[in-house]
Amino acid sequence: MPATMNKQQLLNQTLTLLKKKFPAPPEPDKRPVLEEVVYAICREGVPSAKADAAYARMRSEFFDWNEVRVSTIQEVANVFEGLPDAGDRAKRVVEFLQEHFERTYSFELDDLEKKGLKQAAKQLARYKDKGVSDFVVAWVTQRSLGGHAVPLDEPTLRVLRRLNVIEEGEIDDLEAVRGSIEHFIPKAKGFEFTEEMIQLADAVCVADTPHCPHCPLKADCPTGIENLSKPKAAADKPKPKSR
Ligand code: SF4
């Protein structure tokens, strides 16, 4: 990043630029908490249009949550076709529903809304080995519980690494990374940030070879500046720095 630009300024600038090229979709209607957990599993690392389609297929092809719970992983994975790691996602959904059903004999989780935010996040985190990741906890906190949380999935972390907002070694402590991003991104911008970053990561700042020449952040992103400073022949071969 330019020497005079600190992380706060860079993230402010990122939000301003992304808003023009990848505006966030309108905020959707609030879902019941359990449904938001399942949606977040569909949504992790996936832009809204693709996740919405997969989630809608699941809702139309299964009679209710109990039918999803007792289905095979393959049957659930079939409706996630086209999403990355469809089988793993299906496993997470089934394991979460199974665990929740065994604990409560229900498919309700709305009592979380009556708990304090910390207590609610702690309760959700108990499903950590049953499909609920840090991303899912933060997502539900942001979308259902009215708290300030910024869900970070792998594509968003990739962009933040390339922007040098987070360092390679920091990634091991995801909660700490999230805490620092939540410090920079105010609650009112949390939804917008989440939606815009995933669109950028999906369309431009892709995993293997980022399309820096077409990126709205290219003037401020250290990785983009480095990639674009290479002579054309050298930039084409070998591949630009991907990180
Ligand atoms: S300039 Fe390149 S590396 Fe930086 S965010 Fe844009 S696409 Fe990613």
Side-chain angles (χ1 to χ4, degrees):
M1 84 187 78
T4 52
M5 195 177 267
N6 62 31
K7 289 181 184 181
Q8 181 70 72
Q9 290 168 323
L10 179 61
L11 286 170
N12 291 347
Q13 174 77 339
T14 296
L15 275 170
T16 304
L17 294 169
L18 291 185
K19 198 175 189 167
K20 291 182 194 149
K21 181 134 184 178
F22 300 110
E27 287 201 35
D29 293 339
K30 207 172 160 201
R31 298 181 181 86
V33 178
L34 180 128
E35 294 184 24
E36 200 65 56
V37 171
V38 176
Y39 178 78
I41 296 173
C42 299
R43 183 60 206 273
E44 189 164 349
V46 178
S48 61
K50 278 188 207 167
D52 289 357
Y55 184 78
R57 278 198 302 277
M58 178 166 57
R59 297 312 310 270
S60 70
E61 292 194 20
F62 293 93
F63 178 70
D64 58 13
W65 292 119
N66 194 49
E67 192 185 355
V68 179
R69 176 182 75 91
V70 298
S71 295
T72 64
I73 306 291
Q74 187 55 54
E75 284 166 337
V76 179
N78 288 344
V79 299
F80 288 162
E81 201 185 326
L83 297 189
D85 306 316
D88 183 54
R89 250 174 243 275
K91 184 166 177 281
R92 288 172 61 190
V93 168
V94 170
E95 285 185 350
F96 164 68
L97 291 172
Q98 177 65 25
E99 178 71 12
H100 185 64
F101 186 74
E102 280 176 11
R103 283 173 189 246
T104 66
Y105 294 103
S106 80
F107 294 101
E108 294 283 331
L109 200 43
D110 288 349
D111 64 329
L112 277 194
E113 290 177 289
K114 297 184 199 118
K115 298 183 189 263
L117 280 173
K118 269 197 181 158
Q119 190 54 34
K122 210 168 148 190
Q123 187 169 326
L124 264 184
R126 289 191 198 131
Y127 296 84
K128 207 169 88 186
D129 299 327
K130 302 293 175 186
V132 173
S133 59
D134 184 82
F135 174 91
V136 173
V137 174
W139 181 279
V140 173
T141 303
Q142 184 194 67
R143 306 285 166 120
S144 295
L145 306 177
H148 180 34
V150 178
L152 299 174
D153 52 15
E154 182 43 44
T156 302
L157 290 168
R158 177 173 73 238
V159 177
L160 292 171
R161 272 198 308 272
R162 287 172 174 169
L163 287 170
N164 278 7
V165 171
I166 54 177
E167 310 291 331
E168 215 47 66
E170 286 181 277
I171 219 86
D172 296 338
D173 189 349
L174 191 51
E175 263 186 64
V177 170
R178 192 156 58 73
S180 99
I181 300 300
E182 286 162 4
H183 173 73
F184 293 127
I185 302 292
K187 184 180 172 196
K189 301 266 182 197
F191 173 86
E192 189 183 319
F193 177 81
T194 303
E195 298 291 341
E196 291 169 1
M197 289 295 266
I198 187 72
Q199 290 184 73
L200 174 77
D202 187 61
V204 181
C205 197
V206 295
D208 291 338
T209 307
H211 307 311
C212 301
H214 309 289
C215 181
L217 309 182
K218 65 184 176 191
D220 303 312
C221 169
T223 307
I225 291 169
E226 188 184 330
N227 287 342
L228 293 170
S229 69
K230 291 172 188 162
K232 183 142 188 6
D236 290 341
K237 205 184 190 186
K239 285 179 178 177
K241 191 174 178 183
S242 61
R243 298 210 293 166

